[in-house]
Coordinates of all heavy atoms in Angstrom, one line a residue:
M113 N 0.9 -1.2 0.1 CA 0.0 0.0 0.0 C 0.9 1.3 0.0 O 1.8 1.4 0.7 CB -0.9 -0.1 1.2 CG -2.0 0.9 1.1 SD -3.1 0.8 2.6 CE -2.1 1.6 3.8
E114 N 0.6 2.2 -0.9 CA 1.4 3.4 -1.0 C 1.0 4.3 0.2 O 0.0 4.5 0.6 CB 1.1 4.1 -2.4 CG 1.8 3.5 -3.5 CD 3.3 3.8 -3.5 OE1 3.8 4.8 -3.3 OE2 4.0 2.8 -3.6
M115 N 2.1 5.0 0.7 CA 1.9 5.9 1.7 C 1.7 7.4 1.2 O 2.5 7.6 0.2 CB 3.1 5.9 2.6 CG 2.9 5.5 4.1 SD 4.4 5.7 5.0 CE 5.1 4.1 4.7
S116 N 1.0 8.2 1.8 CA 0.9 9.5 1.2 C 2.2 10.3 1.6 O 2.9 9.9 2.5 CB -0.3 10.3 1.9 OG 0.0 10.5 3.3
P117 N 2.5 11.3 0.8 CA 3.7 12.1 1.2 C 3.8 12.6 2.6 O 4.8 12.6 3.2 CB 3.7 13.3 0.2 CG 2.8 12.8 -1.0 CD 1.8 11.9 -0.4
E118 N 2.6 13.0 3.1 CA 2.5 13.6 4.4 C 2.9 12.4 5.5 O 3.6 12.7 6.5 CB 1.1 14.0 4.8 CG 0.7 15.3 4.0 CD 0.3 15.0 2.6 OE1 -0.1 13.8 2.3 OE2 0.4 16.0 1.8
E119 N 2.3 11.2 5.3 CA 2.6 10.1 6.1 C 4.1 9.7 6.1 O 4.7 9.3 7.1 CB 1.7 8.9 5.7 CG 1.8 7.7 6.6 CD 1.5 7.8 8.0 OE1 0.7 8.8 8.4 OE2 1.9 7.0 8.9
M120 N 4.7 9.8 4.8 CA 6.1 9.5 4.7 C 6.9 10.3 5.5 O 7.9 10.0 6.2 CB 6.5 9.6 3.2 CG 6.5 8.4 2.3 SD 7.3 7.0 2.9 CE 8.7 6.9 1.7
E121 N 6.6 11.7 5.4 CA 7.4 12.7 6.1 C 7.2 12.5 7.7 O 8.2 12.7 8.4 CB 6.9 14.1 5.6 CG 7.6 15.3 6.2 CD 9.1 15.2 6.0 OE1 9.6 14.6 5.0 OE2 9.9 15.7 6.8
K122 N 6.0 12.2 8.0 CA 5.8 11.9 9.5 C 6.6 10.8 10.0 O 7.3 10.8 11.1 CB 4.2 11.6 9.8 CG 3.7 12.4 10.9 CD 2.2 12.2 11.0 CE 1.8 10.8 11.7 NZ 0.3 10.6 11.5
R123 N 6.6 9.7 9.2 CA 7.4 8.5 9.6 C 8.9 8.9 9.6 O 9.7 8.3 10.5 CB 7.2 7.4 8.6 CG 5.9 6.8 8.8 CD 5.9 5.3 8.6 NE 4.6 4.8 8.6 CZ 4.4 3.4 8.5 NH1 5.3 2.7 8.4 NH2 3.1 3.0 8.6
K124 N 9.4 9.6 8.6 CA 10.8 9.9 8.6 C 11.1 10.8 9.8 O 12.2 10.4 10.4 CB 11.0 10.8 7.3 CG 12.5 11.1 7.0 CD 12.7 11.7 5.7 CE 13.5 13.0 5.7 NZ 13.6 13.6 4.4
Q125 N 10.4 11.8 10.1 CA 10.7 12.5 11.3 C 10.7 11.7 12.5 O 11.6 11.8 13.5 CB 9.7 13.7 11.5 CG 9.8 14.8 10.4 CD 11.2 15.3 10.3 OE1 12.0 15.4 11.1 NE2 11.5 15.5 9.0
M126 N 9.8 10.7 12.6 CA 9.8 9.7 13.8 C 11.1 9.0 13.9 O 11.7 8.8 14.9 CB 8.6 8.8 13.7 CG 8.4 7.9 14.9 SD 7.8 6.2 14.7 CE 8.6 5.6 13.3
V127 N 11.5 8.4 12.7 CA 12.7 7.6 12.6 C 13.9 8.5 13.0 O 14.8 8.0 13.8 CB 12.9 7.1 11.2 CG1 14.3 6.5 10.9 CG2 11.9 6.0 10.8
L128 N 14.0 9.7 12.4 CA 15.1 10.6 12.8 C 15.2 10.9 14.3 O 16.3 11.0 14.9 CB 15.0 11.9 12.0 CG 15.3 11.8 10.5 CD1 15.0 13.0 9.8 CD2 16.7 11.3 10.2
S129 N 14.0 11.0 14.9 CA 14.0 11.4 16.3 C 14.4 10.1 17.2 O 14.9 10.3 18.4 CB 12.7 11.9 16.8 OG 11.7 10.8 16.7
M130 N 14.2 8.9 16.7 CA 14.6 7.8 17.6 C 15.9 7.1 17.2 O 16.4 6.3 17.9 CB 13.4 6.7 17.5 CG 12.1 7.3 17.9 SD 10.8 6.1 18.3 CE 10.9 4.9 17.2
C131 N 16.4 7.5 16.0 CA 17.7 6.9 15.5 C 18.8 7.0 16.5 O 19.1 8.1 17.1 CB 18.1 7.5 14.2 SG 19.5 6.8 13.4
I132 N 19.5 5.9 16.7 CA 20.7 5.9 17.6 C 22.0 5.8 16.9 O 23.1 5.5 17.6 CB 20.5 4.8 18.7 CG1 20.5 3.4 18.0 CG2 19.4 5.0 19.6 CD1 20.5 2.2 19.1
C133 N 22.1 6.0 15.6 CA 23.2 5.9 14.8 C 24.4 6.7 15.3 O 25.5 6.2 15.2 CB 23.0 6.2 13.3 SG 22.1 4.9 12.5
K134 N 24.1 7.9 15.9 CA 25.2 8.7 16.4 C 26.0 8.1 17.5 O 27.1 8.5 17.8 CB 24.7 10.1 16.7 CG 24.3 10.9 15.4 CD 24.0 12.3 15.7 CE 23.9 13.1 14.5 NZ 23.7 14.5 14.7
S135 N 25.5 7.1 18.2 CA 26.2 6.4 19.2 C 26.9 5.1 18.7 O 27.5 4.3 19.5 CB 25.2 6.0 20.3 OG 24.4 7.0 20.7
C136 N 26.8 4.9 17.4 CA 27.3 3.6 16.9 C 28.9 3.8 16.5 O 29.2 4.8 16.0 CB 26.6 3.3 15.6 SG 27.3 1.9 14.7
P137 N 29.7 2.8 16.7 CA 31.1 2.9 16.4 C 31.3 3.1 14.9 O 32.4 3.6 14.5 CB 31.7 1.6 16.9 CG 30.5 0.7 17.1 CD 29.4 1.4 17.5
T138 N 30.4 2.7 14.0 CA 30.6 2.9 12.6 C 30.2 4.2 12.1 O 30.7 4.6 11.1 CB 29.7 1.8 11.9 OG1 30.1 0.4 12.2 CG2 29.7 1.9 10.4
F139 N 29.5 5.0 12.9 CA 29.1 6.3 12.5 C 30.3 7.3 12.3 O 31.3 7.2 13.0 CB 28.1 6.9 13.5 CG 27.6 8.4 13.2 CD1 26.7 8.6 12.1 CD2 28.2 9.4 13.9 CE1 26.3 9.8 11.8 CE2 27.7 10.7 13.5 CZ 26.8 10.9 12.6
V140 N 30.2 8.1 11.3 CA 31.3 9.1 11.0 C 30.6 10.5 11.1 O 29.5 10.7 10.6 CB 31.7 8.8 9.5 CG1 32.7 10.0 9.1 CG2 32.4 7.5 9.4
E141 N 31.4 11.2 11.8 CA 31.0 12.7 12.1 C 30.6 13.3 10.7 O 31.4 13.2 9.7 CB 32.1 13.5 12.8 CG 31.7 14.5 13.7 CD 30.6 14.1 14.7 OE1 31.0 13.1 15.4 OE2 29.6 14.7 14.8
G142 N 29.5 14.0 10.7 CA 29.0 14.7 9.5 C 28.2 13.8 8.5 O 27.8 14.3 7.4
A143 N 28.0 12.6 8.8 CA 27.2 11.7 7.8 C 25.7 11.8 8.0 O 25.0 10.8 8.4 CB 27.7 10.2 8.0
E144 N 25.3 13.0 7.9 CA 23.8 13.3 8.1 C 23.1 13.3 6.7 O 23.8 13.6 5.7 CB 23.6 14.6 8.8 CG 23.5 14.5 10.2 CD 24.8 14.7 11.0 OE1 25.8 15.2 10.3 OE2 24.9 14.4 12.1
P145 N 21.8 13.0 6.6 CA 21.0 12.7 7.7 C 21.1 11.3 8.1 O 21.5 10.4 7.3 CB 19.5 12.9 7.0 CG 19.8 12.6 5.6 CD 21.1 13.1 5.3
I146 N 20.9 11.0 9.4 CA 20.9 9.6 10.0 C 19.6 9.0 9.6 O 19.0 9.4 8.6 CB 21.2 9.6 11.5 CG1 20.2 10.6 12.3 CG2 22.7 10.0 11.7 CD1 20.3 10.5 13.7
G147 N 19.2 7.9 10.2 CA 18.0 7.2 9.8 C 18.2 6.4 8.5 O 17.2 6.4 7.7
Y148 N 19.3 5.8 8.3 CA 19.7 5.2 7.1 C 18.8 4.0 6.7 O 18.7 3.7 5.5 CB 21.1 4.6 7.2 CG 22.1 5.6 7.7 CD1 22.6 5.6 9.0 CD2 22.4 6.8 6.9 CE1 23.6 6.4 9.5 CE2 23.4 7.7 7.4 CZ 23.9 7.5 8.7 OH 24.8 8.5 9.2
C149 N 18.1 3.5 7.6 CA 17.1 2.3 7.3 C 16.0 2.8 6.5 O 15.3 2.1 5.8 CB 16.7 1.7 8.6 SG 15.8 2.7 9.7
F150 N 15.6 4.1 6.6 CA 14.4 4.6 6.0 C 14.6 4.7 4.5 O 15.6 5.1 3.9 CB 14.1 6.0 6.6 CG 12.7 6.5 6.4 CD1 11.7 5.9 6.9 CD2 12.4 7.5 5.5 CE1 10.3 6.3 6.7 CE2 11.1 7.9 5.2 CZ 10.0 7.3 5.9
A151 N 13.5 4.4 3.7 CA 13.4 4.3 2.4 C 14.1 5.5 1.6 O 14.9 5.3 0.6 CB 12.0 4.1 1.8
T152 N 13.7 6.7 2.0 CA 14.2 7.9 1.2 C 15.6 8.4 1.8 O 16.0 9.4 1.4 CB 13.2 9.0 1.3 OG1 12.9 9.3 2.7 CG2 11.8 8.7 0.6
I153 N 16.2 7.6 2.6 CA 17.5 8.1 3.3 C 18.5 7.1 2.6 O 19.2 7.3 1.7 CB 17.6 8.2 4.7 CG1 16.4 9.3 5.2 CG2 18.9 8.6 5.2 CD1 16.4 9.5 6.6
G154 N 18.7 5.9 3.2 CA 19.6 4.9 2.7 C 21.1 5.2 3.0 O 21.4 6.0 3.9
K155 N 21.9 4.6 2.2 CA 23.5 4.6 2.5 C 24.0 6.1 2.4 O 23.5 6.9 1.7 CB 24.1 3.7 1.6 CG 24.0 3.9 0.2 CD 24.7 2.8 -0.6 CE 23.9 1.6 -1.0 NZ 24.1 1.1 -2.3
N156 N 25.1 6.2 3.2 CA 25.8 7.5 3.2 C 27.2 7.3 2.8 O 28.0 6.5 3.3 CB 25.8 8.1 4.6 CG 26.2 9.5 4.6 OD1 27.4 9.8 4.2 ND2 25.4 10.4 5.0
P157 N 27.7 8.0 1.7 CA 29.1 7.8 1.2 C 30.1 8.1 2.1 O 31.3 7.6 1.9 CB 29.1 8.7 -0.1 CG 28.0 9.7 0.2 CD 26.9 9.0 0.9
K158 N 29.8 8.8 3.2 CA 31.0 9.1 4.2 C 31.2 7.9 5.0 O 32.3 7.8 5.7 CB 30.5 10.2 5.1 CG 30.5 11.5 4.4 CD 30.4 12.7 5.3 CE 30.4 14.0 4.5 NZ 29.7 15.1 5.1
I159 N 30.3 6.9 5.1 CA 30.5 5.8 6.0 C 31.0 4.5 5.1 O 30.1 4.1 4.1 CB 29.3 5.4 6.8 CG1 28.9 6.6 7.6 CG2 29.5 4.3 7.7 CD1 27.6 6.5 8.5
T160 N 32.1 4.0 5.3 CA 32.6 2.9 4.4 C 33.1 1.6 5.2 O 33.2 0.5 4.7 CB 33.7 3.3 3.5 OG1 34.7 3.9 4.3 CG2 33.2 4.3 2.5
A161 N 33.5 1.9 6.5 CA 34.0 0.8 7.2 C 33.1 0.2 8.3 O 32.6 1.0 9.2 CB 35.3 1.2 7.9
E162 N 32.9 -1.0 8.3 CA 31.9 -1.7 9.3 C 32.7 -1.9 10.5 O 33.7 -2.6 10.6 CB 31.4 -3.0 8.7 CG 30.6 -2.9 7.4 CD 30.1 -4.2 6.9 OE1 30.2 -5.2 7.6 OE2 29.4 -4.2 5.9
K163 N 32.2 -1.2 11.7 CA 32.8 -1.3 12.9 C 31.8 -1.8 14.0 O 32.0 -1.5 15.1 CB 33.5 0.0 13.4 CG 34.6 0.5 12.4 CD 35.1 1.8 12.7 CE 36.1 2.3 11.8 NZ 36.5 3.7 12.1
G164 N 30.8 -2.4 13.5 CA 29.7 -2.8 14.4 C 28.4 -2.1 14.1 O 28.5 -0.9 13.7
C165 N 27.3 -2.7 14.2 CA 26.0 -2.1 13.9 C 25.1 -2.3 15.1 O 24.8 -3.4 15.5 CB 25.4 -2.6 12.6 SG 23.7 -1.9 12.3
I166 N 24.5 -1.2 15.6 CA 23.7 -1.3 16.9 C 22.2 -1.2 16.5 O 21.3 -1.0 17.4 CB 24.1 -0.2 17.9 CG1 23.9 1.3 17.4 CG2 25.5 -0.4 18.5 CD1 24.2 2.3 18.4
C167 N 21.9 -1.2 15.2 CA 20.5 -1.1 14.7 C 19.5 -2.0 15.5 O 18.5 -1.6 15.8 CB 20.4 -1.3 13.2 SG 20.9 0.1 12.3
P168 N 19.9 -3.3 15.7 CA 19.0 -4.2 16.3 C 18.6 -3.8 17.7 O 17.5 -4.2 18.2 CB 19.8 -5.5 16.4 CG 20.7 -5.5 15.2 CD 21.1 -4.0 15.2
T169 N 19.3 -2.9 18.3 CA 18.9 -2.4 19.7 C 18.1 -1.1 19.7 O 17.8 -0.4 20.6 CB 20.2 -2.1 20.6 OG1 20.9 -1.1 20.0 CG2 21.1 -3.3 20.7
C170 N 17.9 -0.6 18.4 CA 17.3 0.7 18.3 C 15.7 0.5 18.3 O 15.2 -0.5 17.8 CB 17.6 1.3 16.9 SG 16.6 2.7 16.3
P171 N 14.9 1.5 18.9 CA 13.5 1.2 18.9 C 12.8 1.2 17.6 O 11.9 0.5 17.4 CB 13.0 2.4 19.7 CG 14.2 3.4 19.9 CD 15.4 2.6 19.6
V172 N 13.4 1.9 16.6 CA 12.9 1.8 15.2 C 12.9 0.4 14.6 O 12.0 0.0 13.9 CB 13.7 2.9 14.3 CG1 13.1 2.7 12.8 CG2 13.5 4.2 14.9
F173 N 13.9 -0.4 15.0 CA 14.2 -1.6 14.5 C 12.9 -2.5 14.7 O 12.4 -3.2 13.8 CB 15.4 -2.2 15.1 CG 16.0 -3.4 14.3 CD1 16.8 -3.2 13.2 CD2 15.7 -4.8 14.6 CE1 17.2 -4.3 12.4 CE2 16.2 -5.9 13.9 CZ 16.9 -5.5 12.7
S174 N 12.5 -2.6 16.0 CA 11.4 -3.4 16.3 C 10.0 -2.8 15.9 O 9.2 -3.5 15.4 CB 11.4 -3.7 17.8 OG 11.6 -2.5 18.6
N175 N 10.0 -1.4 16.0 CA 8.7 -0.7 15.6 C 8.4 -0.9 14.2 O 7.2 -1.0 13.9 CB 8.9 0.7 16.0 CG 8.6 1.2 17.3 OD1 8.6 0.3 18.2 ND2 8.6 2.5 17.6
M176 N 9.4 -0.9 13.4 CA 9.1 -1.0 12.0 C 9.4 -2.4 11.3 O 9.6 -2.6 10.1 CB 10.0 0.1 11.2 CG 9.4 1.5 11.5 SD 10.2 2.9 10.7 CE 9.9 2.5 9.0
S177 N 9.6 -3.4 12.2 CA 9.9 -4.8 11.9 C 11.0 -4.9 10.9 O 10.9 -5.6 9.8 CB 8.6 -5.4 11.2 OG 7.6 -5.3 12.1
L178 N 12.1 -4.3 11.2 CA 13.3 -4.2 10.3 C 14.0 -5.6 10.5 O 13.9 -6.3 11.5 CB 14.3 -3.1 10.7 CG 13.6 -1.6 10.6 CD1 14.7 -0.6 10.8 CD2 13.1 -1.5 9.1
T179 N 14.8 -5.9 9.5 CA 15.5 -7.3 9.5 C 16.9 -7.3 9.1 O 17.6 -8.3 9.1 CB 14.7 -8.3 8.5 OG1 14.8 -7.6 7.1 CG2 13.3 -8.5 8.8
K180 N 17.5 -6.1 8.6 CA 18.8 -6.0 8.1 C 19.7 -5.3 9.1 O 19.4 -5.0 10.2 CB 18.8 -5.4 6.7 CG 17.8 -5.9 5.7 CD 18.2 -7.3 5.3 CE 17.3 -7.9 4.2 NZ 17.4 -9.2 3.9
D181 N 20.9 -4.9 8.6 CA 21.9 -4.1 9.4 C 22.8 -3.3 8.4 O 22.5 -3.4 7.2 CB 22.7 -5.0 10.3 CG 23.5 -6.1 9.5 OD1 23.5 -6.0 8.2 OD2 24.1 -6.9 10.1
Y182 N 23.6 -2.5 9.0 CA 24.5 -1.7 8.2 C 23.7 -0.9 7.1 O 24.2 -0.8 6.0 CB 25.7 -2.4 7.7 CG 26.7 -2.9 8.7 CD1 26.7 -4.2 9.2 CD2 27.6 -1.9 9.2 CE1 27.6 -4.5 10.2 CE2 28.5 -2.4 10.2 CZ 28.5 -3.6 10.7 OH 29.4 -4.0 11.6
Y183 N 22.7 -0.3 7.5 CA 21.9 0.5 6.5 C 22.7 1.6 5.9 O 22.6 2.1 4.8 CB 20.7 1.1 7.1 CG 19.7 0.0 7.7 CD1 19.6 -0.3 9.1 CD2 19.0 -0.8 6.8 CE1 18.8 -1.3 9.5 CE2 18.1 -1.8 7.2 CZ 18.1 -2.1 8.6 OH 17.3 -3.1 9.0
C184 N 23.6 2.2 6.7 CA 24.4 3.3 6.3 C 25.4 2.9 5.1 O 25.8 3.8 4.3 CB 25.2 3.9 7.5 SG 26.3 2.6 8.3
I185 N 25.7 1.7 5.1 CA 26.7 1.2 4.1 C 26.0 0.4 3.0 O 26.3 0.5 1.8 CB 27.9 0.3 4.8 CG1 28.7 1.1 5.7 CG2 28.7 -0.4 3.7 CD1 29.6 0.3 6.5
K186 N 25.0 -0.5 3.4 CA 24.3 -1.4 2.5 C 23.0 -0.9 1.9 O 22.5 -1.4 0.9 CB 24.0 -2.7 3.1 CG 25.3 -3.5 3.7 CD 24.8 -4.7 4.3 CE 25.9 -5.5 5.0 NZ 25.4 -6.6 5.9
G187 N 22.5 0.2 2.5 CA 21.3 0.8 2.0 C 20.1 0.5 2.9 O 20.1 -0.2 3.8
S188 N 19.0 1.2 2.6 CA 17.8 1.2 3.4 C 17.2 -0.2 3.5 O 17.5 -1.1 2.7 CB 16.7 2.1 2.8 OG 16.3 1.7 1.7
E189 N 16.3 -0.4 4.3 CA 15.6 -1.8 4.5 C 15.0 -2.2 3.1 O 15.3 -3.3 2.7 CB 14.6 -1.7 5.6 CG 13.7 -3.0 5.8 CD 14.4 -4.1 6.6 OE1 15.4 -3.8 7.3 OE2 14.0 -5.2 6.5
P190 N 14.1 -1.4 2.6 CA 13.5 -1.8 1.2 C 14.6 -2.0 0.2 O 14.4 -3.0 -0.6 CB 12.5 -0.6 0.9 CG 12.8 0.5 1.8 CD 13.5 -0.1 3.0
E191 N 15.7 -1.2 0.2 CA 16.7 -1.4 -0.8 C 17.4 -2.8 -0.6 O 17.6 -3.5 -1.5 CB 17.8 -0.3 -0.7 CG 18.7 -0.3 -1.8 CD 19.8 0.8 -1.7 OE1 19.7 1.6 -0.9 OE2 20.7 0.8 -2.6
Q192 N 17.7 -3.1 0.7 CA 18.4 -4.4 0.9 C 17.4 -5.5 0.7 O 17.9 -6.7 0.5 CB 18.8 -4.4 2.4 CG 20.0 -3.5 2.6 CD 20.8 -3.9 3.9 OE1 21.1 -5.0 4.2 NE2 21.0 -2.8 4.8
R193 N 16.1 -5.3 0.8 CA 15.2 -6.4 0.5 C 14.9 -6.5 -1.0 O 14.1 -7.3 -1.4 CB 13.9 -6.2 1.3 CG 13.8 -6.4 2.7 CD 12.5 -6.5 3.2 NE 12.3 -6.3 4.6 CZ 11.3 -6.3 5.3 NH1 10.1 -6.5 4.7 NH2 11.3 -6.1 6.7
G194 N 15.5 -5.7 -1.8 CA 15.4 -5.7 -3.3 C 14.0 -5.2 -3.7 O 13.5 -5.5 -4.8
M195 N 13.5 -4.3 -2.9 CA 12.2 -3.7 -3.2 C 12.2 -2.4 -3.9 O 11.2 -1.8 -4.2 CB 11.3 -3.5 -1.9 CG 10.9 -4.9 -1.3 SD 10.4 -4.7 0.4 CE 9.0 -3.7 0.3
M196 N 13.4 -1.9 -4.1 CA 13.6 -0.6 -4.7 C 14.9 -0.5 -5.4 O 15.8 -1.3 -5.2 CB 13.3 0.6 -3.8 CG 14.3 0.6 -2.6 SD 13.9 2.0 -1.4 CE 14.6 3.5 -2.3
Ligands
SF4_168 S1 17.4 1.0 12.8 FE1 19.5 1.9 12.6 S2 19.4 3.3 10.9 FE2 17.4 2.8 11.5 S3 16.8 4.6 13.0 FE3 17.5 2.8 14.2 S4 19.8 3.1 14.5 FE4 19.0 4.5 12.8
SF4_169 S1 23.1 2.0 10.3 FE1 23.9 0.5 11.8 S2 26.2 0.5 11.3 FE2 25.3 2.3 10.4 S3 25.5 3.9 11.8 FE3 23.6 3.1 12.1 S4 23.8 1.6 13.8 FE4 25.8 2.0 12.9

């Protein structure tokens, strides 16, 4: 089911407010916006080295039934699932 642009924006803001990427050892200063798991955000070219991923401990992970990791390097959840 397609989400309205307003609903997408609301969800994005929710993800950004709950995202814990800035506490992650893999995070690189200045690699904004965070919330890499979100469809319209995805990977960030500033982050290239995997040093551990704390996504499974993030509230967004369970709230949005996420299944992947290293969104900053590998791409958003829908991208990693081959949905986009
Ligand atoms: S699951 Fe990972 S990328 Fe998504 S909001 Fe949480 S910490 Fe950020
Ligand atoms: S997506 Fe995962 S690996 Fe990347 S900064 Fe966020 S918690 Fe760390």
Side-chain angles (χ1 to χ4, degrees):
M113 198 180 69
E114 281 293 309
M115 242 185 274
S116 70
E118 292 77 22
E119 182 62 19
M120 267 306 250
E121 185 55 32
K122 219 171 89 188
R123 287 219 187 183
K124 184 172 136 184
Q125 291 311 324
M126 186 215 43
V127 167
L128 288 174
S129 71
M130 302 199 321
C131 182
I132 57 171
C133 283
K134 287 191 174 180
S135 308
C136 172
T138 295
F139 179 74
V140 169
E141 214 50 57
E144 268 93 12
I146 52 173
Y148 311 108
C149 58
F150 198 69
T152 58
I153 302 178
K155 58 183 91 145
N156 190 298
K158 288 195 175 147
I159 306 179
T160 54
E162 296 183 6
K163 296 177 184 172
C165 178
I166 59 174
C167 284
T169 68
C170 170
V172 174
F173 198 85
S174 45
N175 279 10
M176 293 182 59
S177 305
L178 302 183
T179 59
K180 307 293 184 187
D181 59 7
Y182 287 103
Y183 299 106
C184 55
I185 295 173
K186 299 182 188 168
S188 69
E189 176 81 18
E191 190 180 354
Q192 289 196 52
R193 284 196 199 180
M195 291 161 64
M196 60 183 279

